[in-house]
Amino acid sequence: MTTRLRILDDGAWLSVDDTRRVSVSELWRLDSTEFCDCDLADLVVENFQAVGVDGPIVEVRVYGQCITCGTKSTTGWIPVGRIVDGEFTDLERESVLSAHSEG
Amino acid sequence: MPTDVENWKSEVYGNEIREHLFRFAEEGFETIPDDERDAWFERFKWWGLYHQRNGQEGYFMMRIGTPNGVLEPGQLRVVGEIADEYARGPGTNPIFGESYADFTTRQSIQLHWIQLSDVPAVFEKLEANGLSTQQACGDSWRNIVGNPVAGKDGQEVIDAWPVIRDLNETFKGNDDHSNLPRKWKVSVTGSADGSGQGDINDLAFEPAYKEIDGEDEVGFNVRVGGGLARNEPRLARDIDVWVSPDQVSDVAGGLSALFRDNGDREDRYNARIKFLVDEWGPEQVRETLQEEYVDFELRTAGRDVREEYTYNTGEGERNDLIGVHKQKDGTNFVGLNVLVGRMGADDVLELADLAEEYGSGEVRLSQRQNVIVTDVPDEELDDFLAEDLLEHYSPDPSPFMRGSIACTGTEFCSLSIVETKNRQVRFARWLKQHVDLPDDVDEFHIHLSGCTASCAQPQIADVSLRGMKTRKNGEAVEALDVGLGGGLGDEPQFARWVTQRVPVDEVPGAIANLIESFAAERNEGESFRAFVDRHDDEELDAFVEPEETDYEDPMMHNTKMTWYPYAEDDGMDASPPTPADD
Ligand code: HEM
Ligand code: SF4
Ligand SMILES: [Zn+2]
């Protein structure tokens, strides 16, 4: 069975199988030199731009702002959850997240 | 590839959504198939129902579209009764209570906590009284805006109300125009004050004179492609067309069809017509309209009255419609300030009584979230103005009260980053108590939007506030970006974002300091907007100077991670269950 992944309400949230899973306004610690010059970006998620999968991992690209340095941009692919036996489980997004390098 | 939304729309959209909506209402929320929820919630918007944010599953915002903000006699009471009976949920707002109505920046009305099972009853009552939610949200013709006192205003060039009514009748429920690539916002203004705010709409008709067979005729110039959302604000662009009132419908329909056929359906972020106008330029819009969408020769633009615009300009007369104004027929309209556009259901009902007692029963809504009681004769005026209710909804409010606009924010909205309405009320009260404007300045507009969608129109205020976050003593807190010097008028201008990420509890102090610098350093008689104009961003940033004061903000934490920002136990785990069907 395929998992339905969608970004809805103009980028407000990520829907997985018709259930809201991840919303804007989360604050992520992002380990990505591509986003800004900070060692760890402190990213306010303002808008979801795209969703994809890499094996069992659900990834998104988001528009947001690093509140340490002020950079505003779109991220590379960031893992936010995992599909196990057809069920979505959150990744611990309070801890450090890393972007996929090919962005 | 078309988006999911486009695929859903091509299956079921427009009027036919209604029968499904009613079926689900009857059979129960849980009968919406699990794998069709996203699709149905997207479609329900077309009928004015917008699912509230996470933590509030099964509750909807309902928008009632009132063309030009006109509520005919009796209709305000209906809105009050519906709010009182149906717009109640598990959350109680500490300032506004258990049930209330919001008057919006596009002259509509929003109710919250609506349950699907109540929709047929609410629709029946609305429709029996000439009101509707049709196309209030979704990808179609939205509520048409304009000068709310059209037909009555002493300053009018042409009465736009019959034109608006005709457009509304023609394009609501019209299958040829019901499925557009994105929302379609139309403004038709007949007064010389600019109160229709055409510049920030997808399509604007503005009053203009044209010489035809040696005679000056009154009609409208046409502008296309304005809008504020997504860090991509645009002013509507002049396509060099003048239309007589009886051609408005053909040209509006032509442009709506042009948008339908040419707007981007593969990328919703690029779908608004403002982006098509960017790509094509106004000349190509005009050519395409002429060649493919109208069957008469378009005239070139006429002589407009833009230099007379005052509304939301930040200087001169009539920046809003608050206060007592003369109508053409010798009676008066009285604009009352509704702070952040929200009115408790009891107050709505009381105002409906007063409008009947002193006026004709009619009220109208402005784009500054205020309400206007019309048709009050001179001899009734003093008694009306002495009513207790008008102490709260004042015709002569403090500049900080009358200048405040706020969007929905984290209370209900999925896109929001911060709490808005309650915060703006607290800001306004604090500023009223602690800050003095120079004596000759009696208007000061502060607009607060919870995110970049810009529903509160922040870019056209003296002080623009937009939701962000920051860290304060290591803790993540809600914050606001501060922009300055926006306004409409002959030469409209968007605010410049000069100071980023001010923690919310330091914003009132920042505004107080800014106003202090303005008062000290302005030229004689200089408006705030002009003052901002002659300073660079760095100088302005220095004036803003965030500071803690005795202002307290109980909503500093991430209010979006709550189920309801003001609940005692506000954690997501305490979310109310999806309402049971009754
Ligand atoms: C439950 C969620 C939402 C609520 C309660 C809400 C509320 C409002 C309100 C009160 C207005 C004023 C106008 C009107 O009557 O049409 C408005 C306008 C607007 N809304 Fe929303 N909104 C919501 C979601 C969204 C979303 C998801 C977007 C996404 C883009 C959005 C974008 C806008 C924009 C751009 C405007 C007007 C500004 C302009 O384009 O000129 N809103 N909204
Ligand atoms: S501006 Fe943003 S937060 Fe405010 S109502 Fe619009 S979408 Fe929601
Ligand atoms: Zn950074």
Side-chain angles (χ1 to χ4, degrees), chain A residues 4 6 8-13 15 18 20 23-27 29 42 44 46-48 63 65 67 70 72, chain B residues 4 8 34-35 37-38 45 51-54 57 182 230-231 269 414-415 468-469 471 476 501 558 560-561:
Chain A
R4 298 180 303 280
R6 301 182 183 114
L8 290 172
D9 286 358
D10 304 295
W13 44 283
S15 165
D18 289 74
R20 294 176 212 232
S23 284
V24 296
S25 101
E26 285 191 8
L27 204 49
R29 280 303 180 48
D42 208 354
V44 178
E46 290 185 75
N47 210 274
F48 293 90
Y63 174 85
Q65 180 173 151
I67 58 175
K72 296 175 194 177
Chain B
D4 283 332
W8 297 330
D34 283 346
D35 58 353
R37 292 195 171 207
D38 288 350
K45 293 176 189 172
H51 196 282
Q52 290 179 191
R53 70 168 171 89
N54 50 332
E57 294 305 318
R182 201 69 173 71
R230 314 194 68 83
N231 288 322
Y269 298 141
S414 305
L415 256 150
M468 241 302 126
K469 281 177 195 301
R471 279 188 198 276
R501 300 184 299 280
N558 188 340
K560 190 69 170 295
M561 296 298 162

Short mmCIF file of all heavy atoms in Angstrom, two decimals, chain A residues 4 6 8-13 15 18 20 23-27 29 42 44 46-48 63 65 67 70 72, chain B residues 4 8 34-35 37-38 45 51-54 57 182 230-231 269 414-415 468-469 471 476 501 558 560-561:
data_model
loop_
_atom_site.label_atom_id
_atom_site.label_comp_id
_atom_site.label_asym_id
_atom_site.label_seq_id
_atom_site.Cartn_x
_atom_site.Cartn_y
_atom_site.Cartn_z
N ARG A 4 0.14 8.19 1.26
CA ARG A 4 -0.21 9.47 0.63
C ARG A 4 0.46 10.62 1.38
O ARG A 4 0.19 10.84 2.54
CB ARG A 4 -1.73 9.66 0.62
CG ARG A 4 -2.49 8.61 -0.18
CD ARG A 4 -4.00 8.86 -0.15
NE ARG A 4 -4.53 8.89 1.21
CZ ARG A 4 -4.80 7.81 1.95
NH1 ARG A 4 -4.59 6.60 1.45
NH2 ARG A 4 -5.29 7.93 3.16
N ARG A 6 1.27 14.69 1.31
CA ARG A 6 0.87 15.94 0.65
C ARG A 6 1.17 17.14 1.53
O ARG A 6 1.10 17.06 2.74
CB ARG A 6 -0.65 15.98 0.44
CG ARG A 6 -1.20 14.91 -0.37
CD ARG A 6 -2.70 15.12 -0.55
NE ARG A 6 -3.20 13.99 -1.30
CZ ARG A 6 -4.04 13.09 -0.82
NH1 ARG A 6 -4.51 13.20 0.40
NH2 ARG A 6 -4.42 12.09 -1.57
N LEU A 8 -0.39 20.75 2.30
CA LEU A 8 -1.71 21.35 2.09
C LEU A 8 -1.82 22.75 2.67
O LEU A 8 -0.94 23.23 3.37
CB LEU A 8 -2.79 20.43 2.68
CG LEU A 8 -2.96 19.14 1.86
CD1 LEU A 8 -3.88 18.18 2.57
CD2 LEU A 8 -3.47 19.42 0.45
N ASP A 9 -2.95 23.38 2.35
CA ASP A 9 -3.23 24.75 2.79
C ASP A 9 -2.05 25.67 2.51
O ASP A 9 -1.59 26.40 3.38
CB ASP A 9 -3.63 24.78 4.27
CG ASP A 9 -5.03 24.26 4.49
OD1 ASP A 9 -5.70 23.91 3.51
OD2 ASP A 9 -5.46 24.19 5.66
N ASP A 10 -1.61 25.63 1.28
CA ASP A 10 -0.55 26.53 0.84
C ASP A 10 0.70 26.45 1.69
O ASP A 10 1.29 27.47 2.03
CB ASP A 10 -1.08 27.95 0.76
CG ASP A 10 -2.28 28.01 -0.16
OD1 ASP A 10 -2.10 27.75 -1.35
OD2 ASP A 10 -3.39 28.25 0.33
N GLY A 11 1.06 25.22 2.00
CA GLY A 11 2.33 25.01 2.69
C GLY A 11 2.23 25.05 4.19
O GLY A 11 3.25 25.12 4.88
N ALA A 12 1.02 24.97 4.74
CA ALA A 12 0.86 25.07 6.20
C ALA A 12 1.25 23.79 6.92
O ALA A 12 1.72 23.83 8.04
CB ALA A 12 -0.58 25.44 6.56
N TRP A 13 1.03 22.64 6.27
CA TRP A 13 1.29 21.40 6.97
C TRP A 13 1.50 20.23 6.03
O TRP A 13 1.15 20.28 4.87
CB TRP A 13 0.20 21.09 7.99
CG TRP A 13 -1.21 21.29 7.52
CD1 TRP A 13 -1.85 22.50 7.38
CD2 TRP A 13 -2.16 20.29 7.11
NE1 TRP A 13 -3.13 22.30 6.91
CE2 TRP A 13 -3.36 20.96 6.75
CE3 TRP A 13 -2.11 18.90 7.03
CZ2 TRP A 13 -4.50 20.28 6.32
CZ3 TRP A 13 -3.26 18.21 6.60
CH2 TRP A 13 -4.42 18.91 6.26
N SER A 15 0.59 16.45 5.29
CA SER A 15 -0.42 15.44 5.52
C SER A 15 0.14 14.08 5.13
O SER A 15 0.71 13.92 4.04
CB SER A 15 -1.66 15.75 4.67
OG SER A 15 -2.51 14.63 4.61
N ASP A 18 -3.85 11.43 4.84
CA ASP A 18 -4.99 12.28 5.22
C ASP A 18 -5.03 12.64 6.71
O ASP A 18 -6.10 12.88 7.25
CB ASP A 18 -6.31 11.64 4.78
CG ASP A 18 -6.49 11.68 3.27
OD1 ASP A 18 -5.81 10.90 2.56
OD2 ASP A 18 -7.27 12.52 2.79
N ARG A 20 -2.94 15.21 9.58
CA ARG A 20 -1.91 16.24 9.73
C ARG A 20 -0.78 15.71 10.60
O ARG A 20 -1.04 15.19 11.69
CB ARG A 20 -2.46 17.45 10.48
CG ARG A 20 -3.51 18.18 9.75
CD ARG A 20 -3.97 19.26 10.70
NE ARG A 20 -5.36 19.51 10.44
CZ ARG A 20 -5.84 20.73 10.21
NH1 ARG A 20 -5.05 21.77 10.26
NH2 ARG A 20 -7.11 20.89 9.98
N SER A 23 3.54 20.65 11.24
CA SER A 23 2.98 21.97 10.96
C SER A 23 4.05 23.04 10.94
O SER A 23 5.09 22.90 11.57
CB SER A 23 1.98 22.36 12.05
OG SER A 23 0.78 21.68 11.88
N VAL A 24 3.75 24.14 10.27
CA VAL A 24 4.64 25.29 10.35
C VAL A 24 4.67 25.81 11.78
O VAL A 24 3.81 25.48 12.57
CB VAL A 24 4.21 26.46 9.42
CG1 VAL A 24 4.28 26.06 7.97
CG2 VAL A 24 2.80 26.95 9.77
N SER A 25 5.69 26.61 12.05
CA SER A 25 5.95 27.22 13.36
C SER A 25 6.83 26.35 14.25
O SER A 25 7.21 26.79 15.32
CB SER A 25 4.67 27.62 14.12
OG SER A 25 4.35 26.69 15.12
N GLU A 26 7.17 25.14 13.80
CA GLU A 26 8.15 24.37 14.58
C GLU A 26 9.53 25.03 14.45
O GLU A 26 9.80 25.74 13.47
CB GLU A 26 8.23 22.92 14.06
CG GLU A 26 7.05 22.08 14.48
CD GLU A 26 7.25 20.59 14.20
OE1 GLU A 26 8.38 20.17 13.83
OE2 GLU A 26 6.29 19.83 14.38
N LEU A 27 10.35 24.81 15.45
CA LEU A 27 11.70 25.34 15.45
C LEU A 27 12.65 24.15 15.35
O LEU A 27 12.61 23.25 16.18
CB LEU A 27 11.90 26.08 16.77
CG LEU A 27 12.94 27.18 16.90
CD1 LEU A 27 12.86 28.19 15.77
CD2 LEU A 27 12.75 27.88 18.24
N ARG A 29 16.59 22.52 14.83
CA ARG A 29 18.05 22.69 14.86
C ARG A 29 18.61 21.95 13.65
O ARG A 29 18.48 20.73 13.55
CB ARG A 29 18.61 22.08 16.17
CG ARG A 29 18.46 23.00 17.38
CD ARG A 29 19.08 24.15 17.06
NE ARG A 29 19.33 25.39 17.66
CZ ARG A 29 19.78 25.73 18.85
NH1 ARG A 29 19.94 24.86 19.79
NH2 ARG A 29 20.07 26.97 19.13
N ASP A 42 19.09 27.68 13.51
CA ASP A 42 17.94 27.65 14.42
C ASP A 42 16.74 28.07 13.57
O ASP A 42 16.44 29.25 13.45
CB ASP A 42 18.20 28.66 15.55
CG ASP A 42 17.49 28.29 16.83
OD1 ASP A 42 16.72 27.32 16.82
OD2 ASP A 42 17.72 28.98 17.84
N VAL A 44 13.09 28.54 11.96
CA VAL A 44 11.63 28.61 12.09
C VAL A 44 11.03 28.10 10.79
O VAL A 44 11.30 28.64 9.72
CB VAL A 44 11.14 30.05 12.31
CG1 VAL A 44 9.61 30.08 12.39
CG2 VAL A 44 11.75 30.65 13.55
N GLU A 46 8.43 28.06 8.20
CA GLU A 46 7.34 28.97 7.82
C GLU A 46 6.45 28.37 6.75
O GLU A 46 5.30 28.76 6.60
CB GLU A 46 7.91 30.29 7.30
CG GLU A 46 8.56 31.14 8.36
CD GLU A 46 8.98 32.48 7.79
OE1 GLU A 46 8.10 33.33 7.57
OE2 GLU A 46 10.18 32.66 7.53
N ASN A 47 7.00 27.49 5.95
CA ASN A 47 6.24 27.00 4.83
C ASN A 47 6.82 25.72 4.27
O ASN A 47 8.02 25.64 4.03
CB ASN A 47 6.28 28.08 3.74
CG ASN A 47 5.03 28.06 2.91
OD1 ASN A 47 4.97 27.31 1.94
ND2 ASN A 47 4.04 28.82 3.29
N PHE A 48 5.98 24.72 4.08
CA PHE A 48 6.45 23.49 3.44
C PHE A 48 6.41 23.65 1.93
O PHE A 48 5.41 24.11 1.38
CB PHE A 48 5.57 22.30 3.86
CG PHE A 48 5.71 21.97 5.32
CD1 PHE A 48 4.89 22.57 6.26
CD2 PHE A 48 6.69 21.09 5.75
CE1 PHE A 48 5.04 22.29 7.62
CE2 PHE A 48 6.84 20.81 7.09
CZ PHE A 48 6.01 21.41 8.03
N TYR A 63 10.59 26.34 3.54
CA TYR A 63 11.06 27.72 3.55
C TYR A 63 11.05 28.18 5.00
O TYR A 63 10.12 27.88 5.74
CB TYR A 63 10.13 28.62 2.72
CG TYR A 63 10.51 30.08 2.81
CD1 TYR A 63 11.48 30.63 1.96
CD2 TYR A 63 9.93 30.92 3.76
CE1 TYR A 63 11.85 31.95 2.05
CE2 TYR A 63 10.29 32.25 3.87
CZ TYR A 63 11.25 32.77 3.00
OH TYR A 63 11.63 34.08 3.10
N GLN A 65 13.41 30.61 8.27
CA GLN A 65 14.39 31.62 8.63
C GLN A 65 15.22 31.13 9.81
O GLN A 65 14.68 30.57 10.76
CB GLN A 65 13.62 32.89 9.02
CG GLN A 65 14.54 34.00 9.41
CD GLN A 65 13.82 35.33 9.64
OE1 GLN A 65 14.28 36.12 10.42
NE2 GLN A 65 12.70 35.58 8.98
N ILE A 67 16.91 32.00 13.03
CA ILE A 67 16.73 33.14 13.92
C ILE A 67 18.03 33.52 14.63
O ILE A 67 18.05 34.47 15.40
CB ILE A 67 15.59 32.90 14.95
CG1 ILE A 67 15.84 31.66 15.79
CG2 ILE A 67 14.25 32.83 14.23
CD1 ILE A 67 14.80 31.48 16.89
N GLY A 70 19.49 35.22 10.72
CA GLY A 70 18.53 35.95 9.89
C GLY A 70 18.41 35.45 8.46
O GLY A 70 17.59 35.98 7.70
N LYS A 72 17.11 33.80 5.29
CA LYS A 72 15.80 33.29 4.86
C LYS A 72 16.02 32.51 3.58
O LYS A 72 16.55 33.06 2.62
CB LYS A 72 14.85 34.43 4.56
CG LYS A 72 14.51 35.30 5.75
CD LYS A 72 13.67 36.47 5.32
CE LYS A 72 13.64 37.49 6.45
NZ LYS A 72 12.92 38.70 6.13
N ASP B 4 -2.35 17.86 -6.56
CA ASP B 4 -3.45 17.08 -5.97
C ASP B 4 -4.72 17.91 -5.95
O ASP B 4 -5.80 17.43 -6.26
CB ASP B 4 -3.11 16.68 -4.53
CG ASP B 4 -2.12 15.52 -4.48
OD1 ASP B 4 -2.12 14.71 -5.43
OD2 ASP B 4 -1.36 15.44 -3.50
N TRP B 8 -8.35 16.99 -7.48
CA TRP B 8 -9.61 16.93 -6.71
C TRP B 8 -10.65 17.84 -7.33
O TRP B 8 -11.81 17.50 -7.43
CB TRP B 8 -9.36 17.35 -5.25
CG TRP B 8 -8.44 16.45 -4.52
CD1 TRP B 8 -8.26 15.12 -4.73
CD2 TRP B 8 -7.56 16.83 -3.45
NE1 TRP B 8 -7.32 14.63 -3.84
CE2 TRP B 8 -6.88 15.66 -3.05
CE3 TRP B 8 -7.28 18.02 -2.77
CZ2 TRP B 8 -5.94 15.65 -2.01
CZ3 TRP B 8 -6.36 18.02 -1.75
CH2 TRP B 8 -5.68 16.84 -1.38
N ASP B 34 -11.59 7.84 5.24
CA ASP B 34 -10.26 8.20 5.76
C ASP B 34 -9.31 8.70 4.69
O ASP B 34 -8.50 9.57 4.94
CB ASP B 34 -9.61 6.98 6.44
CG ASP B 34 -10.22 6.75 7.81
OD1 ASP B 34 -10.91 7.66 8.31
OD2 ASP B 34 -10.01 5.65 8.36
N ASP B 35 -9.42 8.10 3.52
CA ASP B 35 -8.46 8.47 2.48
C ASP B 35 -8.98 9.60 1.58
O ASP B 35 -8.42 9.87 0.53
CB ASP B 35 -8.06 7.26 1.64
CG ASP B 35 -9.26 6.59 0.99
OD1 ASP B 35 -10.41 6.99 1.28
OD2 ASP B 35 -9.05 5.67 0.18
N ARG B 37 -10.18 12.63 3.21
CA ARG B 37 -10.35 13.83 4.05
C ARG B 37 -9.67 15.05 3.45
O ARG B 37 -10.25 16.13 3.38
CB ARG B 37 -9.81 13.59 5.44
CG ARG B 37 -10.65 12.59 6.15
CD ARG B 37 -10.41 12.53 7.63
NE ARG B 37 -11.47 11.67 8.11
CZ ARG B 37 -11.99 11.69 9.32
NH1 ARG B 37 -11.53 12.53 10.20
NH2 ARG B 37 -12.96 10.89 9.63
N ASP B 38 -8.43 14.89 3.04
CA ASP B 38 -7.71 16.04 2.46
C ASP B 38 -8.51 16.64 1.30
O ASP B 38 -8.65 17.85 1.19
CB ASP B 38 -6.33 15.62 1.95
CG ASP B 38 -5.35 15.31 3.09
OD1 ASP B 38 -5.69 15.61 4.25
OD2 ASP B 38 -4.26 14.77 2.80
N LYS B 45 -13.93 24.36 1.21
CA LYS B 45 -13.60 25.80 1.23
C LYS B 45 -14.48 26.57 0.26
O LYS B 45 -14.84 27.71 0.51
CB LYS B 45 -12.12 26.01 0.87
CG LYS B 45 -11.15 25.48 1.91
CD LYS B 45 -9.71 25.65 1.42
CE LYS B 45 -8.74 24.92 2.34
NZ LYS B 45 -7.37 24.91 1.78
N HIS B 51 -11.27 24.13 7.42
CA HIS B 51 -10.98 23.35 8.62
C HIS B 51 -9.99 24.10 9.50
O HIS B 51 -9.00 24.63 9.01
CB HIS B 51 -10.39 21.98 8.22
CG HIS B 51 -10.41 20.99 9.33
ND1 HIS B 51 -9.48 21.01 10.35
CD2 HIS B 51 -11.25 19.97 9.62
CE1 HIS B 51 -9.76 20.03 11.20
NE2 HIS B 51 -10.82 19.38 10.78
N GLN B 52 -10.28 24.14 10.82
CA GLN B 52 -9.37 24.84 11.74
C GLN B 52 -8.08 24.04 11.90
O GLN B 52 -7.94 22.93 11.41
CB GLN B 52 -10.08 25.09 13.07
CG GLN B 52 -11.17 26.15 12.91
CD GLN B 52 -11.97 26.46 14.17
OE1 GLN B 52 -12.98 27.13 14.08
NE2 GLN B 52 -11.53 25.99 15.33
N ARG B 53 -7.15 24.60 12.62
CA ARG B 53 -5.80 24.04 12.65
C ARG B 53 -5.70 22.75 13.46
O ARG B 53 -6.70 22.28 14.02
CB ARG B 53 -4.85 25.09 13.20
CG ARG B 53 -5.03 25.38 14.68
CD ARG B 53 -3.85 26.19 15.15
NE ARG B 53 -3.96 26.73 16.47
CZ ARG B 53 -3.57 26.09 17.57
NH1 ARG B 53 -3.15 24.84 17.53
NH2 ARG B 53 -3.66 26.70 18.74
N ASN B 54 -4.49 22.20 13.53
CA ASN B 54 -4.30 20.95 14.27
C ASN B 54 -4.64 21.15 15.74
O ASN B 54 -4.48 22.23 16.30
CB ASN B 54 -2.87 20.42 14.11
CG ASN B 54 -1.82 21.47 14.39
OD1 ASN B 54 -2.06 22.66 14.21
ND2 ASN B 54 -0.66 21.06 14.84
N GLU B 57 -9.56 19.27 15.56
CA GLU B 57 -10.10 18.41 14.51
C GLU B 57 -11.63 18.42 14.53
O GLU B 57 -12.25 18.34 15.60
CB GLU B 57 -9.62 16.97 14.66
CG GLU B 57 -8.12 16.77 14.46
CD GLU B 57 -7.59 17.28 13.14
OE1 GLU B 57 -8.25 17.07 12.10
OE2 GLU B 57 -6.51 17.90 13.13
N ARG B 182 -6.75 29.70 -8.72
CA ARG B 182 -6.48 30.17 -7.37
C ARG B 182 -7.57 31.16 -7.01
O ARG B 182 -8.46 31.44 -7.81
CB ARG B 182 -5.09 30.83 -7.37
CG ARG B 182 -4.38 30.96 -6.06
CD ARG B 182 -3.91 29.62 -5.50
NE ARG B 182 -3.09 29.86 -4.31
CZ ARG B 182 -3.57 30.29 -3.15
NH1 ARG B 182 -4.85 30.51 -2.99
NH2 ARG B 182 -2.75 30.50 -2.13
N ARG B 230 2.76 36.08 0.75
CA ARG B 230 3.97 35.29 0.54
C ARG B 230 5.23 36.09 0.23
O ARG B 230 6.03 35.67 -0.60
CB ARG B 230 3.80 34.33 -0.64
CG ARG B 230 2.54 33.56 -0.69
CD ARG B 230 2.67 32.45 -1.68
NE ARG B 230 3.61 31.49 -1.16
CZ ARG B 230 3.29 30.55 -0.31
NH1 ARG B 230 2.08 30.42 0.11
NH2 ARG B 230 4.20 29.74 0.14
N ASN B 231 5.48 37.15 0.93
CA ASN B 231 6.69 37.93 0.65
C ASN B 231 6.76 38.41 -0.78
O ASN B 231 7.82 38.78 -1.26
CB ASN B 231 7.96 37.10 0.92
CG ASN B 231 8.19 36.91 2.40
OD1 ASN B 231 7.93 37.81 3.18
ND2 ASN B 231 8.64 35.73 2.78
N TYR B 269 1.90 27.94 -5.70
CA TYR B 269 2.62 29.13 -5.22
C TYR B 269 2.77 30.18 -6.31
O TYR B 269 3.09 31.32 -6.05
CB TYR B 269 4.01 28.73 -4.71
CG TYR B 269 3.97 27.79 -3.54
CD1 TYR B 269 4.87 26.74 -3.41
CD2 TYR B 269 3.01 27.95 -2.54
CE1 TYR B 269 4.83 25.87 -2.33
CE2 TYR B 269 2.95 27.08 -1.46
CZ TYR B 269 3.86 26.05 -1.36
OH TYR B 269 3.82 25.19 -0.29
N SER B 414 -4.04 27.51 10.40
CA SER B 414 -2.97 26.53 10.19
C SER B 414 -1.63 27.16 9.82
O SER B 414 -0.59 26.61 10.11
CB SER B 414 -3.34 25.60 9.03
OG SER B 414 -4.57 25.02 9.26
N LEU B 415 -1.67 28.28 9.14
CA LEU B 415 -0.43 28.85 8.63
C LEU B 415 0.30 29.72 9.64
O LEU B 415 1.45 30.09 9.45
CB LEU B 415 -0.74 29.72 7.41
CG LEU B 415 -0.38 29.11 6.08
CD1 LEU B 415 -1.31 29.62 5.02
CD2 LEU B 415 1.03 29.46 5.67
N MET B 468 6.94 35.92 13.78
CA MET B 468 8.25 35.27 13.68
C MET B 468 8.53 34.63 15.05
O MET B 468 7.66 34.63 15.91
CB MET B 468 9.31 36.33 13.38
CG MET B 468 10.04 36.13 12.10
SD MET B 468 10.86 34.52 12.10
CE MET B 468 10.22 33.84 10.61
N LYS B 469 9.73 34.15 15.20
CA LYS B 469 10.15 33.66 16.51
C LYS B 469 11.55 34.17 16.79
O LYS B 469 12.27 34.55 15.87
CB LYS B 469 10.22 32.15 16.51
CG LYS B 469 8.90 31.50 16.64
CD LYS B 469 9.06 30.01 16.55
CE LYS B 469 7.70 29.40 16.31
NZ LYS B 469 6.78 29.74 17.39
N ARG B 471 14.89 33.81 20.11
CA ARG B 471 15.23 33.28 21.43
C ARG B 471 15.47 34.43 22.38
O ARG B 471 16.08 35.43 22.03
CB ARG B 471 16.49 32.42 21.35
CG ARG B 471 16.17 31.04 20.87
CD ARG B 471 17.31 30.07 20.94
NE ARG B 471 17.00 28.95 20.07
CZ ARG B 471 16.24 27.91 20.45
NH1 ARG B 471 15.78 27.82 21.68
NH2 ARG B 471 15.98 26.94 19.58
N ALA B 476 12.89 29.78 23.26
CA ALA B 476 12.19 30.20 22.04
C ALA B 476 10.93 30.96 22.42
O ALA B 476 10.14 30.48 23.24
CB ALA B 476 11.83 28.97 21.21
N ARG B 501 12.52 40.25 14.23
CA ARG B 501 12.47 39.34 15.38
C ARG B 501 12.51 40.04 16.74
O ARG B 501 13.37 39.74 17.57
CB ARG B 501 13.60 38.31 15.28
CG ARG B 501 13.53 37.45 14.03
CD ARG B 501 14.60 36.38 13.99
NE ARG B 501 15.95 36.89 14.01
CZ ARG B 501 16.58 37.37 12.94
NH1 ARG B 501 15.98 37.40 11.78
NH2 ARG B 501 17.81 37.82 13.05
N ASN B 558 5.29 28.94 22.29
CA ASN B 558 4.79 28.59 20.96
C ASN B 558 3.30 28.25 21.04
O ASN B 558 2.91 27.12 21.32
CB ASN B 558 5.57 27.39 20.41
CG ASN B 558 5.21 27.13 18.97
OD1 ASN B 558 4.16 27.55 18.48
ND2 ASN B 558 6.08 26.44 18.27
N LYS B 560 1.22 27.85 18.85
CA LYS B 560 0.76 26.92 17.82
C LYS B 560 0.85 25.48 18.28
O LYS B 560 0.15 24.61 17.75
CB LYS B 560 1.62 27.12 16.57
CG LYS B 560 1.14 26.42 15.31
CD LYS B 560 -0.16 27.03 14.79
CE LYS B 560 -0.51 26.50 13.42
NZ LYS B 560 0.45 26.89 12.40
N MET B 561 1.69 25.22 19.26
CA MET B 561 1.85 23.86 19.76
C MET B 561 0.84 23.54 20.86
O MET B 561 0.96 22.56 21.57
CB MET B 561 3.27 23.66 20.31
CG MET B 561 4.33 23.78 19.25
SD MET B 561 4.11 22.50 17.99
CE MET B 561 5.09 23.18 16.69
#
